Amino acid sequence: MTHHRQEHDRLVDRIQHSNRPGSIPAQTDAVSSALSRRSFLETAGFSLSIAALSGCGRAPQRLSLPFPEQPAEVIPGVSKNYASTCHGCPAGCGLLVKVRDGRPLKMEGMPEHPLSKGGLCATGQALPLELYDSFRLKHPIYKGAPATWEDLDRKIGLEIEAIKANKLAVRFVTPTITSPTTKEEIRRFLGEFTDGKHLMFDPVSSSAILDAHLETHGRRVLPHYDFAAAKVIVACGADFLGTWISPVEFTAGWSSRRRPTTTTPEMSYHVQLEGRLSLTGTKADRRYRVSPLEFGMVLSEIASRIAARAGVSFPRVEYKHRPLPEEAIEDLASRLWAAQAESLVICDSQDVATQTVVNFINYT
């Protein structure tokens, strides 16, 4: 009875509401439902009619002009591939750029490239998106306000002439540049000033590796690590399959030794020492959790054992706390010594002393 009473009250409320001024009187619940369905069908039909009629209109006209002087190798509507170099990071992988009517559409790795060997990371694949970004800057900005190229060139030209007249210092700051042509243009530009220098700055630096090679080899260079020739790999924090220095190049070399073939039937042995789990750590044969502050301790212990086997001197430091058990350090030293000239130790530490120990292990 309570349920029927509630239904009766709701029906009365609806009838009273419909009898207000400006509303359509509702006779019964059945009639109200019928009108509601009819109204819905009328509205739906009207909406579909509008959508159908809107599709019958003409599309906006767009003017398409031909080339004033059409290049000999360009055919409108036909795509061509051009060889280039990726600028997504300092690694400089090889690219094949698919271009149609002067617009880059797709990036792919270049199979003939000696380093990347046809690979390309997600950053390189996404490069065309920056060309079609609707929020990109469409004009230059000078001191926070929009400017024209003509006005900007004039102001910069006046400032450059003032710098030359007063013989002031000029510093040209860029990320790492791999293009010889770009480097030469920067060198020619800075040659016009009394004190001009080119500075390269990267958010994630590897300067400690360069400084260590200057100390041990007399040249400040960043080496190319040949993972394809390494039987034993010990990586301290370096996520070389994910983000470290040149991951596409390193992945190609590392993976070539992870698939046994007739020429290289033995798989490489990979040990990863790191504080957090990385992509490279998930692929390692053995992974040890070691703090980045402890990389120097572990590498010094390994270096002292290798030095004893090689009959050379190495200053051994006794640590109160060892990040790894004695047997683990001895196992790493034994494997590296057994794979002389076919082993590789890398580290992402920004401590020059730690990188010097890495060089000692690799060249002992």
Side-chain angles (χ1 to χ4, degrees):
M1 295 296 293
T2 303
H3 175 71
H4 291 293
R5 181 64 181 177
Q6 291 175 351
E7 291 292 330
H8 178 269
D9 293 340
R10 281 197 294 268
L11 180 59
V12 171
D13 291 340
R14 291 176 60 186
I15 294 174
Q16 290 177 350
H17 176 76
S18 62
N19 286 332
R20 293 176 183 173
S23 61
I24 301 175
Q27 302 298 326
T28 61
D29 187 68
V31 176
S32 177
S33 299
L35 291 174
S36 177
R37 287 193 296 270
R38 186 182 300 113
S39 300
F40 169 77
L41 293 174
E42 289 176 354
T43 304
F46 181 75
S47 302
L48 291 174
S49 301
I50 293 296
L53 291 175
S54 62
C56 298
R58 290 182 176 273
Q61 293 184 359
R62 296 182 180 179
L63 187 62
S64 179
L65 297 177
F67 289 107
E69 296 181 5
Q70 181 174 336
E73 72 277 4
V74 176
I75 301 175
V78 178
S79 301
K80 295 184 71 67
N81 291 322
Y82 293 91
S84 184
T85 304
C86 179
H87 67 271
C89 73
C93 297
L95 280 183
L96 286 178
V97 187
K98 182 179 180 180
V99 179
R100 184 171 65 235
D101 297 338
R103 294 177 176 269
L105 301 177
K106 187 70 173 67
M107 305 292 192
E108 293 292 348
M110 185 188 301
E112 294 82 6
H113 196 272
L115 300 181
S116 56
K117 301 184 186 304
L120 191 63
C121 67
T123 302
Q125 294 279 358
L127 284 180
L129 296 179
E130 65 185 17
L131 299 176
Y132 306 101
D133 183 8
S134 59
F135 294 99
R136 70 185 186 279
L137 288 176
K138 298 179 175 60
H139 48 72
I141 302 294
Y142 182 75
K143 294 184 177 180
T148 62
W149 286 110
E150 294 77 10
D151 188 33
L152 189 64
D153 290 342
R154 181 179 58 81
K155 291 178 179 179
I156 292 178
L158 293 176
E159 293 182 5
I160 289 177
E161 293 301 325
I163 291 173
K164 291 180 180 178
N166 297 320
K167 298 182 178 181
L168 300 178
V170 175
R171 299 295 181 263
F172 198 93
V173 183
T174 67
T176 296
I177 296 176
T178 58
S179 170
T181 305
T182 304
K183 288 182 179 180
E184 177 62 21
E185 289 297 322
I186 294 174
R187 188 193 65 79
R188 291 175 56 188
F189 170 73
L190 294 176
E192 301 177 1
F193 302 94
T194 305
D195 184 12
K197 293 183 180 179
H198 180 203
L199 304 178
M200 294 188 187
F201 175 80
D202 294 309
V204 181
S205 176
S206 299
S207 61
I209 300 177
L210 282 74
D211 295 337
H213 276 76
L214 178 62
E215 183 176 331
T216 59
H217 294 75
R219 295 185 62 188
R220 194 174 187 273
V221 295
L222 182 67
H224 278 287
Y225 299 102
D226 190 2
F227 286 85
K231 289 183 178 179
V232 178
I233 303 168
V234 177
C236 295
D239 184 18
F240 61 88
L241 299 179
T243 57
W244 191 65
I245 299 183
S246 184
V248 175
E249 173 191 353
F250 297 157
T251 300
W254 177 87
S255 61
S256 66
R257 294 302 297 265
R258 306 297 286 183
R259 298 187 298 268
T261 62
T262 54
T263 56
T264 55
E266 183 183 358
M267 291 177 59
S268 62
Y269 183 76
H270 172 200
V271 179
Q272 187 77 10
L273 287 73
E274 57 187 7
R276 62 174 182 84
L277 183 62
S278 66
L279 175 63
T280 307
T282 63
K283 305 295 183 181
D285 297 298
R286 191 70 183 268
R287 177 182 178 272
Y288 295 101
R289 189 164 180 243
V290 179
S291 169
L293 298 176
E294 299 171 333
F295 289 162
M297 302 183 201
V298 175
L299 292 171
S300 296
E301 290 282 348
I302 296 174
S304 63
R305 285 163 172 77
I306 292 178
R309 288 173 169 84
V312 297
S313 61
F314 183 85
R316 182 168 183 175
V317 181
E318 294 293 337
Y319 298 103
K320 296 181 180 179
H321 165 69
R322 284 183 175 175
L324 290 182
E326 176 72 19
E327 57 272 14
I329 295 177
E330 183 63 28
D331 177 68
L332 291 176
S334 300
R335 288 180 180 273
L336 290 171
W337 177 254
Q340 277 185 309
E342 292 182 301
S343 62
L344 178 62
V345 178
I346 57 175
C347 182
D348 67 351
S349 174
Q350 277 297 92
D351 179 52
V352 178
T354 301
Q355 295 293 348
T356 303
V357 176
V358 171
N359 290 351
F360 174 84
I361 297 173
N362 284 329
Y363 293 95
T364 300

